[in-house]
Structures are given as C-alpha cells and as structure tokens.
Amino acid sequence: MSKSKSSGTVFKLGDTAVGGLTSIGGVEISAETIDVTALDNKDGYKEFEEGIKDPGEVPIEGFLDGEDQGQAKMLEALNAGGLHDFSIAFPQKIGKAWSGKCVITKFATSAALNDAVKFSASIKVSGKPTLAATAEPAKA
C-alpha cells in the first residue's frame, strides 16, 4: 500500500455516494476504562481494565447541491431514523475502506456572505466498523 492525497475519497450512505464533500472526519475507535483499583493497593497507582469500545462519530462537510441524491438521502435517513449502511473508501492507491452501520445524527445547512452555500452532517457509528482492503491498489 502507498500514501495518497485525500482527493478521491468517497463517503456512501448505503449504495449512494454523497457528493460535493470537502471534508470527511475519521472513524475514531476508543476504549473506555474500568477502574479496578482495590483498597489494598500498595503502589499508589490506579489499575484499569479495558471497557467497551466506542466507534465514534464521523462529521462530513461539503457544498450544498440541490440535485445530489446522496445529500438528499442523508436528510431522509435522519428523518426516517434507524440504522443505515455506510462506507468511506479511500483512493485506490491506499486500497482501504471503512464500512459498517450508522445512525445519522445531524444535517445542517449554512450560508454566509461571499461564500458558497454549505452543508454538514454527522453519523454515529453503531457496532464494530471494519477497515478492509478494497480492489488491488495502483502501483506507485
């Protein structure tokens, strides 16, 4: 696998690509900790065990496009509720993609003087996401 610029990264909700994106946040898996320090602890340091993992929330941003089916699907999914499939495919040179289930947690629009109309959305990853190889990456 090789390094690559971000251009060409695609976010999909189900089988529909969301267009006009300028930023896709990362899947951030973190593990909670459980304090298991006993009263008879002799060294004065807390002791921990790993707790349950949280796959995090992924923000996306872009230019609002009234004809983009992916952007429309994001708002429809938020209104409908429930779990939805998602994927974040990195450029072919990287050869990896995240996939899993998510809940749409936000869809917003913004307009500012002398700027393009923008939108932002967020997904909360539900369950264990997968980072797996995609098609054979291009040779450098």
Side-chain angles (χ1 to χ4, degrees), residues 44-126:
Y45 285 85
K46 285 187 170 191
E47 299 172 33
F48 296 92
E49 288 190 15
E50 183 179 32
I52 200 159
K53 294 173 184 69
D54 182 347
E57 196 154 353
V58 178
I60 66 171
E61 297 179 347
F63 300 112
L64 186 64
D65 181 344
E67 296 180 2
D68 185 76
Q69 293 180 359
Q71 291 180 20
K73 189 172 181 177
M74 292 287 296
L75 182 56
E76 290 168 10
L78 175 62
N79 287 327
L83 289 175
H84 305 275
D85 293 326
F86 82 93
S87 65
I88 302 170
F90 298 108
Q92 187 177 12
K93 193 173 179 182
I94 299 289
K96 296 280 187 179
W98 282 107
S99 62
K101 299 283 188 185
C102 72
V103 174
I104 312 305
T105 58
K106 177 182 121 177
F107 188 93
T109 59
S110 63
L113 186 63
N114 203 30
D115 200 1
V117 178
K118 297 178 182 174
F119 89 99
S120 61
S122 291
I123 66 164
K124 177 68 176 166
V125 180
S126 178

